[in-house]
Amino acid sequence: MQEFLQYLISGLALGALYALVALGFVVIYRASQVFNFAHGELLTFGAVLMVWLNSPPQVGELGLGSVSVDGLGLPWGVALFLSMLVTGAVAAAIERFALRPLVGRPIFVAIIITLFIGFILRTFVMLIWGNDAMPILTPWDSMGSFELAGAMLDYNSLAAIAAAAVLFVSFGLMIRFTRLGILMRAISSDQETSLALGIPVGRILGLTWFIAGAFAAVSGIFLGVRDYSVDLNLGFVALRAFPAVIVGGLDSALGAVIAALILGVLEVLTAGYVNAELGAFGKNFHMVLPYVVMIFFLVFKPYGLFGTKKVERL
Amino acid sequence: MLELSGVEVVYHSVVLVLKGISLNVPQGSIVALLGPNGAGKTTTLRALTGLLDIHEGRITKGQILWQGQNIASQKAESIVASGIAQVMEGRRIFPELSVEENLFAGASGRPKKDALSDMEKFYARFAILGQRRKQMAGYLSGGEQQMLAIARALMAKPKLLLLDEPSLGLAPKIVAQVGELIQEVNKEGVSILLVEQNASLALDLASYAYVMESGKIVLDGSSQELKDDKDVQEFYLGVGTKQSSYRDVKLYRRRKRWLS
Ligand SMILES: Nc1ncnc2c1ncn2[C@@H]1O[C@H](COP(=O)(O)OP(=O)(O)OP(=O)(O)O)[C@@H](O)[C@H]1O
Ligand SMILES: [Mg+2]
């Protein structure tokens, strides 16, 4: 039972991070009808930037990591905030300079462009910070945990859940109740009408991408914290959030979040209980499971749990 | 106040759809623009409001003077801010937004306080919208949606309102209500350019009208003149309906005359 509770919390934490990644995809898809293939690289960028901003200058041996980072040594919270800001700005710049000029062209072109920008971003990160794993620091004891009803709950998972929850709730309130939220929903409902009403569509799309970029940074950072380090391949996790987007419905933020939580828990439970039973075959079965679920949905329920029917499949 | 002269519009760099449109909307008036399907009425409104871009259309010639400024090819946002609002063909309310949110979306350029107080005015005027303010707009009836679309456009406090076929798909009784609303709005000082296929409604409301076919203005005059015009009576007002095959032939002949 204790073990189960531990897995559950760990799974929820993983799911919460997948959910943040998925939310980034969905927010952009709803605004621009573009599947942003650069999203994974934004995760990497945000996390690496965080490490660089936060790591003290010239650290020698931090214990965990293999490489030392010559960082700026900014306080953790400040570094987190700046990383969100800069990653958001990068995302907004992608929208403004690469995608907005394409308005009216086939969506296909825009999607290829995001793939291409992803490569550029990856190369940029590699040139500046190299491709070794870098230790990521936390203000809490990243190995620490506390006991609840006999289960050991680790701080990293709880922090990830808390961070994701704060972002979900504030995003939800913003989209539902603020003027910006109303305009964002208007634009994703009908862009031409929004233009006709004089809504500053370009500016709001830019802002939407900014928000998605800031979310990417937070998800990248906490995924890094989960592994105690950050490297160039961190962004591949975005591919593992992909099933959540499909299962939840491509245009449903709530659906993606719920699906991501379920898939996260499923992944950790499978790793804990099922893999061992499957012998050699089961070694990485938990990594495959979300795709199995996704394929099941694509076949039997292509619009996902909450998606609208009219959505085209990519 | 609004003056189009020799406006030409091309879609996809090849399809010439407006072939030199000139028309005038004097301050405080209601002007009608009539014409059959595909004549280019909607395209004319797109040219006026900066919506050609997203249809890959472009103004290749001519001028659009609005209060002395050439607004041809300006951005939609700044055109709305300068006082031109539009109700698009097919109403185009945001179905999954509430009535209240729809209205709010129409006032994006104005202070929140003004928007809220205007909203109350609309609720007083259209009791139904008031009762359903929290409901999704997609659940409103067609007539209610049209009222909402007009109210939403008015939330921008325009000086000129462009209406694209507001009677489309509505029952006669509702059409009459829409007509009354248009008149009221006009009395409050908003000039109106009314695009219609329903000529009898349009000619009753407007003081002046233009008839457009295949991208050209083929006829214009005061509403009375047009009501007395034989061709208009026959093709737009449905007076003296004859057997359809015979009508088609005549339509073809008349149209040739207009176009020459
Ligand atoms: N995006 C577009 N690309 C190419 N051609 C277009 C486009 N939009 C409209 N057209 C063409 O331009 C012509 C005029 O269309 P428009 O929609 O302006 O007519 P309309 O008078 O509003 O017709 P209706 O009464 O049916 O609304 C039509 O022949 C139409 O096929
Ligand atoms: Mg039309």
Side-chain angles (χ1 to χ4, degrees):
Chain A
M1 185 61 211
Q2 282 92 343
E3 194 186 44
F4 179 78
L5 196 61
Q6 263 161 244
Y7 284 146
L8 190 66
I9 294 293
S10 172
L12 278 179
L14 184 62
L17 296 177
Y18 285 171
L20 270 186
V21 178
L23 193 59
F25 274 119
V26 171
V27 162
I28 284 177
Y29 181 81
R30 289 198 35 144
S32 309
Q33 277 73 53
V34 168
F35 205 87
N36 177 23
F37 279 107
H39 203 75
E41 305 308 331
L42 288 172
L43 255 69
T44 312
F45 177 78
V48 170
L49 187 65
M50 169 78 189
V51 170
W52 179 67
L53 291 169
N54 175 237
S55 298
Q58 305 286 6
V59 213
E61 41 278 272
L62 251 161
L64 292 167
S66 45
V67 217
S68 64
V69 183
D70 188 9
L72 296 186
L74 296 175
W76 200 83
V78 177
L80 174 71
F81 181 73
L82 282 179
S83 166
M84 287 172 75
L85 216 62
V86 174
T87 312
V90 169
I94 295 175
E95 191 277 330
R96 177 67 188 83
F97 298 109
L99 295 178
R100 210 180 298 172
L102 296 179
V103 165
R105 300 292 164 73
I107 289 293
F108 170 74
V109 177
I111 291 171
I112 298 297
I113 295 269
T114 67
L115 201 60
F116 179 66
I117 289 173
F119 280 123
I120 295 180
L121 208 55
R122 185 181 173 83
T123 311
F124 175 81
V125 171
M126 193 167 73
L127 287 178
I128 304 276
W129 290 289
N131 52 2
D132 296 313
M134 297 183 279
I136 183 165
L137 308 175
T138 47
W140 60 88
D141 173 12
S142 67
M143 301 291 217
S145 57
F146 74 90
E147 211 187 300
L148 184 83
M152 301 302 284
L153 305 183
D154 65 295
Y155 292 146
N156 285 355
S157 290
L158 296 175
I161 293 172
V166 167
L167 290 189
F168 292 144
V169 171
S170 35
F171 181 76
L173 293 175
M174 188 277 285
I175 202 87
R176 195 108 304 268
F177 297 114
T178 68
R179 193 170 194 175
L180 174 65
I182 293 173
L183 297 184
M184 282 172 67
R185 279 183 288 138
I187 291 171
S188 56
S189 164
D190 184 341
Q191 190 157 329
E192 184 182 16
T193 303
S194 301
L195 281 166
L197 292 173
I199 295 173
V201 171
R203 229 179 316 145
I204 291 177
L205 285 184
L207 215 53
T208 308
W209 279 70
F210 177 89
I211 292 171
F215 281 11
V218 177
S219 28
I221 289 164
F222 279 90
L223 282 165
V225 166
R226 203 180 160 83
D227 290 340
Y228 310 108
S229 76
V230 166
D231 67 28
L232 254 193
N233 293 331
L234 184 137
F236 288 143
V237 179
L239 292 179
R240 285 162 63 189
F242 189 80
V245 178
I246 296 296
V247 172
L250 200 45
D251 63 348
S252 163
L254 184 67
V257 169
I258 293 173
L261 288 174
I262 295 174
L263 287 176
V265 171
L266 218 54
E267 183 177 323
V268 172
L269 289 182
T270 313
Y273 292 120
V274 183
N275 279 11
E277 310 294 321
L278 296 176
F281 171 73
K283 204 156 174 228
N284 274 320
F285 181 67
H286 66 283
M287 306 265 260
V288 182
L289 183 76
Y291 292 97
V292 175
V293 176
M294 175 178 83
I295 288 166
F296 175 84
F297 266 85
L298 278 178
V299 172
F300 295 103
K301 210 168 178 314
Y303 304 105
L305 290 171
F306 297 95
T308 35
K309 278 249 158 84
K310 62 174 194 285
V311 174
E312 70 218 278
R313 289 285 136 194
L314 294 170
Chain B
M1 170 154 89
L2 177 76
E3 199 179 329
L4 277 72
S5 44
V7 174
E8 289 192 6
V9 167
V10 169
Y11 281 119
H12 306 285
S13 316
V14 283
V15 197
L16 182 67
V17 170
L18 295 191
K19 302 162 184 162
I21 295 284
S22 301
L23 59 82
N24 230 316
V25 183
Q27 174 120 34
S29 62
I30 302 183
V31 170
L33 180 59
L34 308 174
N37 288 117
K41 306 179 297 294
T42 298
T43 303
T44 307
L45 296 189
R46 283 181 191 150
L48 274 170
T49 50
L51 290 181
L52 284 173
D53 276 11
I54 49 172
H55 294 278
E56 288 198 64
R58 217 155 41 84
I59 300 176
T60 48
K61 253 193 206 153
Q63 263 202 333
I64 301 175
L65 281 183
W66 163 243
Q67 299 181 319
Q69 300 249 18
N70 188 9
I71 56 163
S73 310
Q74 270 192 20
K75 283 173 72 181
E77 196 186 325
S78 56
I79 292 174
V80 175
S82 76
I84 301 182
Q86 168 174 215
V87 178
M88 288 200 291
E89 191 173 349
R91 310 187 256 279
R92 303 283 282 267
I93 50 131
F94 301 117
E96 62 272 39
L97 268 60
S98 70
V99 167
E100 190 169 65
E101 288 167 344
N102 265 275
L103 288 174
F104 216 55
S108 61
R110 298 178 58 211
K112 197 167 176 170
K113 220 176 71 211
D114 298 0
L116 289 174
S117 79
D118 271 17
M119 238 183 250
E120 293 306 323
K121 277 187 219 153
F122 284 118
Y123 293 148
R125 193 158 172 179
F126 309 109
I128 299 174
L129 296 188
Q131 286 157 23
R132 310 237 170 130
R133 61 210 276 177
K134 300 282 181 201
Q135 256 180 44
M136 285 214 279
Y139 294 136
L140 296 176
S141 74
E144 290 159 3
Q145 290 188 6
Q146 186 63 64
M147 297 296 179
L148 176 60
I150 295 175
R152 184 179 64 180
L154 290 173
M155 288 294 290
K157 270 246 175 294
K159 302 185 188 94
L160 171 67
L161 182 63
L162 314 175
L163 293 156
D164 198 349
E165 305 202 27
S167 74
L168 196 73
L170 300 181
K173 204 178 117 205
I174 312 291
V175 171
Q177 283 176 13
V178 171
E180 273 167 38
L181 173 62
I182 293 172
Q183 262 167 338
E184 278 172 42
V185 169
N186 179 246
K187 285 212 185 78
E188 286 161 21
V190 180
S191 314
I192 285 168
L193 178 60
L194 175 62
V195 166
E196 264 298 342
Q197 291 198 51
N198 180 342
S200 63
L201 170 78
L203 291 178
D204 281 345
L205 294 173
S207 51
Y208 200 88
Y210 295 83
V211 178
M212 165 170 205
E213 283 196 15
S214 312
K216 283 185 186 159
I217 303 286
V218 290
L219 198 64
D220 68 299
S222 73
S223 295
Q224 200 51 52
E225 277 165 27
L226 290 200
K227 276 184 194 168
D228 294 339
D229 185 279
K230 282 245 156 50
D231 293 333
V232 174
Q233 281 181 1
E234 210 175 309
F235 305 131
Y236 291 101
L237 297 174
V239 179
T241 320
K242 288 162 198 137
Q243 275 187 334
S244 60
S245 59
Y246 175 56
R247 251 193 100 192
D248 290 346
V249 176
K250 285 206 83 166
L251 178 82
Y252 176 65
R253 213 185 296 141
R254 289 282 162 84
R255 194 175 275 174
K256 270 181 90 170
R257 202 178 79 213
W258 278 352
L259 292 175
S260 58

